[in-house]
Amino acid sequence: MAVSKKVVVTHPQTGTERKFDAAVYEPVKAAILQSLKGSKGKTFTELTDDVVKMIRKKMPGFDKSIPWYTISIRLDLETKGIVETFTEKGKKLNRLKK
């Protein structure tokens, strides 16, 4: 049995760490970055909808909660300074950090 590579994800506020399979982390991260690229800001729902569509295409057999992975990995990208959350007109939005 092959040992799957793990990626440690960190929550920006709590510093809580979790280990994810790289086989899940990488495609979800790529989908988040692709969704936010060129966007002035997306709500979490818009971001999740995009990621769900992309992951279903790339990994048709994936049966875990894509929205859960999206939020966890988005928070990790925030910790790493790649993605930021901001509020505009009372809406919480996500975008790539400039």
Side-chain angles (χ1 to χ4, degrees), residues 1-71:
M1 203 169 111
V3 176
S4 56
K5 201 171 149 231
K6 299 283 185 193
V7 176
V8 175
V9 295
T10 312
H11 191 288
Q13 278 87 41
T14 62
T16 307
E17 292 186 348
R18 276 206 171 94
K19 284 184 178 156
F20 284 15
D21 277 336
V24 174
Y25 180 89
E26 293 304 332
V28 173
K29 174 186 169 185
I32 291 169
L33 297 177
Q34 192 179 329
S35 170
L36 294 177
K37 199 175 163 187
S39 164
K40 286 181 169 49
K42 288 190 175 187
T43 63
F44 181 67
T45 305
E46 292 166 335
L47 176 61
T48 306
D49 289 348
D50 281 356
V51 173
V52 167
K53 279 182 206 134
M54 289 185 241
I55 295 301
R56 290 235 162 92
K57 266 189 200 137
K58 271 188 189 152
M59 304 163 72
F62 189 72
D63 60 356
K64 304 209 169 47
S65 169
I66 298 170
W68 184 85
Y69 278 97
T70 304
I71 187 93

